[in-house]
Amino acid sequence: MIERGYVPDSGPVFAKVLQAAGVSPITARRLDLGMSLDELSMRCGLDRATLEQLEDGGERPSRSVQEQIAGGMAAPVDRLFPPSHGR
């Protein structure tokens, strides 16, 4: 279990390990960047509660929200929000 607020050494391998462990791509990328939820919130203009819901596997956000988050993390949208099958 990953404790909130703990940011271990970052790097691409770390992000892949997190994703393999079932951590969302948003969380993996945020931790890879050494970024807190508060910092991501400021960078993308979304409130922390919304980001927490998305990291915890809430509903798929609209394309505009996906773009806000991706912009705040300097990552392609499809990296953080892989295409859904059947959508």
Side-chain angles (χ1 to χ4, degrees):
M1 185 90 185
I2 298 171
E3 186 178 326
R4 288 199 188 272
Y6 172 71
V7 181
D9 292 337
S10 62
V13 173
F14 175 67
K16 288 179 183 178
V17 169
L18 286 175
Q19 287 182 20
V23 174
S24 78
I26 301 169
T27 306
R29 174 68 176 166
R30 180 177 60 77
L31 293 175
D32 186 45
L33 294 170
M35 190 183 298
S36 69
L37 270 170
D38 291 327
E39 184 178 355
L40 178 58
S41 175
M42 288 188 301
R43 285 181 178 219
C44 68
L46 297 169
D47 64 65
R48 180 188 170 106
T50 298
L51 293 171
E52 285 177 331
Q53 284 181 327
L54 294 172
E55 285 193 353
D56 290 340
E59 290 187 31
R60 188 174 180 88
S62 67
R63 182 66 181 191
S64 63
V65 169
Q66 291 177 15
E67 290 171 352
Q68 282 180 263
I69 294 169
M73 294 183 161
V77 171
D78 290 341
R79 179 175 174 193
L80 299 175
F81 302 94
S84 295
H85 297 292
R87 282 194 109 179

